[in-house]
Amino acid sequence: MKRVLAGIGIVALVAVIGVGTAKALMSGEAPHAAAEAKHEAPAAHDTADAHAAAEGEKKSILSNLIPGKGGAHWGYEGSTGPDNWGQIAEANKACASGLEQSPIDLTGGVDAEVSNIALHWKPAAWNVVNNGHTIQVEGKDGGYATIDGERFDLLQFHFHTPSEHTIDGRNYPMEVHFVHKNAEGRLAVIGVLMMPGGENSLFSTIMEKAPKEEGSVSVGMIEQRGMIAPINGIYRYQGSLTTPPCSEAVLWTVLSTPILVSKKDVEAFQALFPMNARPIQPVNRRYVLRD
């Protein structure tokens, strides 16, 4: 079964067996999905109610894309830390009870011919924001990525230390997340691991501009491709936001090749945020695809 699954992409699974069954295969629950697929179509008013609920959930997810914006206060330590995110607010229940949470250790991925990423990013005017949880770079019309044949528009990118994802149990000093959204509101995040040992002019510019306190400053026109290494290998899995509300609506792609940045810039980030990484979450019955 793993080799069959590995040989076809997520979108191909959806096209062949439907969204529900494909998602179940990724979580290891195919028999239940097959049974559910035989149910009759819901009544029209049920469909409308479901659509309204889905739209409400989509707006909730998108309003929480920026860590620290809206909702109950949360952090990375003590009573507001990750162990308690699920109890801080009703909207955060998935943080405690979800079965497809992120980040995860990427060890043991299933070898697969995973559809690659086509980046159609373009230079844009961005703002560098200190939102109290991370340094985030926000802007408009920064282009898009094509992942599994779908277009996902780039919304923002932000940083964590240490890396949230691990490989063979190993953290990297930092990780950058490029957050994308498609027309239906589904999210796709590209994660890039970061290591000191080189110079990265874009990261240096971001850290030079980054406010020391909460606030925003223009960084002008930048080319965000400077924060990504050649795409020589990837990990792909279904997961969640790594900050509250931990919504399980994210297609994750983590590049296996890290980028090199200066030690000085890593230390500058860590001076502002000594630790802003959620602990590793259980993989449970998901497949991690590796190409």
Side-chain angles (χ1 to χ4, degrees):
M1 172 61 75
K2 289 184 179 179
R3 294 304 302 175
V4 173
L5 177 61
I8 52 180
I10 296 170
V11 171
L13 279 174
V14 172
V16 173
I17 60 178
V19 174
T21 309
K23 186 175 180 181
L25 270 173
M26 292 295 290
S27 62
E29 298 175 355
H32 299 289
E36 291 172 1
K38 297 179 181 179
H39 290 177
E40 295 181 357
H45 67 275
D46 291 337
T47 303
D49 290 345
H51 177 73
E55 286 297 311
E57 181 180 2
K58 180 197 305 182
K59 291 179 181 178
S60 174
I61 291 171
L62 296 181
S63 67
N64 283 281
L65 278 175
I66 303 175
K69 293 289 184 72
H73 175 71
W74 56 271
Y76 288 96
E77 296 180 323
S79 61
T80 61
D83 288 345
N84 298 309
W85 285 352
Q87 288 73 50
I88 290 174
E90 180 70 16
N92 299 350
K93 288 193 301 183
C95 298
S97 61
L99 298 177
E100 294 186 347
Q101 290 291 289
S102 298
I104 62 173
D105 183 76
L106 300 169
T107 307
V110 177
D111 288 332
E113 293 182 4
V114 180
S115 175
N116 213 329
I117 305 166
L119 296 180
H120 303 278
W121 294 347
K122 59 184 180 179
W126 295 83
N127 293 323
V128 177
V129 180
N130 179 331
N131 59 32
H133 293 287
T134 188
I135 295 300
Q136 183 159 289
V137 185
E138 305 172 356
K140 294 182 178 179
D141 198 22
Y144 64 96
T146 302
I147 305 173
D148 283 340
E150 292 186 70
R151 172 176 171 147
F152 292 85
D153 293 319
L154 178 63
L155 302 179
Q156 49 100 333
F157 58 99
H158 61 268
F159 302 89
H160 295 272
T161 187
S163 70
E164 295 202 296
H165 291 91
T166 60
I167 299 176
D168 294 327
R170 175 193 176 190
N171 284 100
Y172 286 73
M174 290 189 65
E175 182 175 348
V176 55
H177 292 163
F178 293 90
V179 181
H180 301 73
K181 175 179 69 71
N182 72 1
E184 288 71 43
R186 195 160 70 99
L187 305 178
V189 180
I190 300 173
V192 182
L193 303 168
M194 302 169 63
M195 289 185 63
E199 293 292 333
N200 185 286
S201 60
L202 176 53
F203 189 47
S204 294
T205 298
I206 290 169
M207 291 314 304
E208 287 171 6
K209 294 278 190 176
K212 301 300 185 290
E213 307 290 340
E214 290 189 38
S216 175
V217 63
S218 173
V219 74
M221 296 290 289
I222 61 172
E223 170 58 87
Q224 52 271 23
R225 285 178 182 268
M227 288 298 304
I228 197 166
I231 304 175
N232 296 323
I234 64 174
Y235 296 89
R236 176 78 48 79
Y237 77 99
Q238 266 323 121
S240 73
L241 299 176
T242 65
T243 59
C246 308
S247 306
E248 295 181 336
V250 181
L251 176 63
W252 275 97
T253 302
V254 180
L255 306 193
S256 57
T257 303
I259 61 170
L260 297 179
V261 298
S262 77
K263 180 181 179 182
K264 174 178 65 70
D265 293 330
V266 170
E267 291 174 344
F269 182 87
Q270 292 173 338
L272 297 175
F273 303 101
M275 198 286 290
N276 68 339
R278 188 188 191 192
I280 291 296
Q281 303 297 302
V283 175
N284 293 320
R285 300 175 71 181
R286 287 175 284 178
Y287 289 102
V288 178
L289 305 181
R290 178 184 63 204
D291 192 359

